[in-house]
Amino acid sequence: MGKLAITGGTPVLKAQDEGLFHWPIVNDAMRAAQAQVLETGNMSGTDIARRFEASFASWQERKYALSHNNGTNALNAAMFAVGLGPGDEIICTSVTYWASCTGALALGAAVVFCDIDPDTLQMDPASLEAHITPRTKAIMVVHYMAHPAPMDEIMAIARKHGLKIIEDVSHAQGGHYKGRKLGTFGDVAAMSLMSCKSFAIGEGGMLVTDDAEIFKRAVVFGHYDRIIDVCTDEEMEGPKNIPWGGLKNRMHQTSAAIGLEQLKKHDAEIAEIDRAMKYFWKGISDIPGISMIYPKEEGSDKAGWYASRFLYDAAAFGGISNVTFCEALNAEACGGFSFGCNMPLHFSSVFFDIDIYGHGRPTASAFLPDGVDLRAETGALPNAEKVNMRVLGEPWFKHDDHAKIDPYIEALRKVAANVGELQPINDTTPILGGIALSKRKK
Ligand SMILES: *Cc1c(COP(=O)(O)O)cnc(C)c1O
């Protein structure tokens, strides 16, 4: 029997305090707002959605906001809106949620994956530039796990090559890069507002832009009842209520009503999360082998700390993997920690091999010149391929309650101090990305 809970010792915490983590935070104003939508039977209109858009646009510091039924469709609309189409390529980081880029395939475009910076987990500008071809049309920039992407470098590359930029702000609503709000850098930004994200209103998404043409294209793509607002008789003959994408992307108005209330408290909520997470890090930052991932530039932040990860150096802990270390942490603290992050997308046959739409060849290359294969070979994106073995997820504290956060600090200190009790059995099994690596055929 050792000191660690996982080796038979007494855990630091006996039970997890649900209130410390419960999300989203629902107040009476939200309850009343959604009840009113239901009672008036106004779930499928656009009046509340338009009010939400107006408030959101002003908070987001952009001219136009267009609400969507989810972030995936907001991103798909953004890709259509910048003109991504057959034979085009869009560059995206391999380590992100699939919805950042998968919709490109339905537009006839191919997704080209680039690598991440191993320390920030954000798009690596050098890898981005190395993946540009004459067919590249756009860059999908994800502010991954609440950390801002290096926008100065990315914008410079986009300008040099004449590329469109779409920001995926699903992890960082209200965040900043060098004092400027995320979602205001690219031609257009889109984001998820679903229940687990920092800006949580239920299923929902938002597209924001300053560009009237991009807004218009997003409307005609999936908002049948608003085409009349943006298209003139000269532009379209016949009925003007047929969405070009054949899609219906309208937001449920209970989400919009809740969103109007969330806007009033979002900045205060993410500020409290920021204080809580920084308090946690103050208690553990001297432990060798772990390091916080946080932007170094003045005026940059990690708004909401959504799915936040930190770096874990197994070598500093006797070769114990992040998976085993995480199990020991969760035994001390009744959960709250996690290991790894998203599995690299460039391992998925969806982007290279599967004939999704019946073109008689892989969808990804259906519109590319013969012989062009955009597949990233194993080893080509080394940071993306290794990241799942190098990161841990810290508990997502919603309240700056020091007495309740202290046990998590103690748990980390305790596991780090007694790491010798852990067995490095099976610890060479690389997780997630590694599993795919071994299965992948050339
Ligand atoms: C959640 C998420 C999406 C998709 O949003 P939904 O609202 O779930 O459709 C897109 N991109 C990223 C990075 C996400 O995390």
Side-chain angles (χ1 to χ4, degrees), residues 70-72 75 96-97 99-100 142 168 170-171 192-194 197 204:
N70 54 52
T72 304
L75 284 156
T96 179
Y97 186 63
S100 297
V142 186
D168 181 347
S170 299
H171 295 182
S192 173
L193 306 176
M194 72 166 289
K197 304 287 160 77

Side-chain angles (χ1 to χ4, degrees), residues 112-195:
V112 174
F113 292 107
C114 72
D115 210 352
I116 55 170
D117 179 307
D119 296 326
T120 64
L121 315 186
Q122 308 307 308
M123 180 175 273
D124 170 16
S127 179
L128 162 67
E129 192 156 30
H131 285 85
I132 292 172
T133 76
R135 297 172 300 274
T136 309
K137 177 72 147 272
I139 308 169
M140 178 62 75
V141 182
V142 186
H143 303 292
Y144 188 59
M145 290 175 166
H147 191 294
M151 293 314 296
D152 281 350
E153 290 84 350
I154 293 169
M155 299 293 291
I157 292 167
R159 269 194 293 269
K160 182 169 143 196
H161 297 272
L163 306 176
K164 300 285 184 193
I165 292 190
I166 305 170
E167 292 175 80
D168 181 347
V169 196
S170 299
H171 295 182
Q173 300 91 345
H176 299 84
Y177 172 76
K178 297 188 180 177
R180 186 166 155 190
K181 215 163 205 177
L182 303 181
T184 65
F185 290 87
D187 298 274
V188 56
M191 67 202 82
S192 173
L193 306 176
M194 72 166 289
S195 307

Side-chain angles (χ1 to χ4, degrees), residues 5 57 97 121 130 170 178 189 211 233 237 255 285 303 322 346 354-355 366 390 428 441:
Y97 186 63
L121 315 186
S170 299
K178 297 188 180 177
D211 185 316
D233 287 343
E237 279 181 32
S255 289
S285 57
N322 59 342
H346 74 279
I354 299 179
D355 179 5
R390 295 186 60 243
T428 50
K441 49 187 190 314

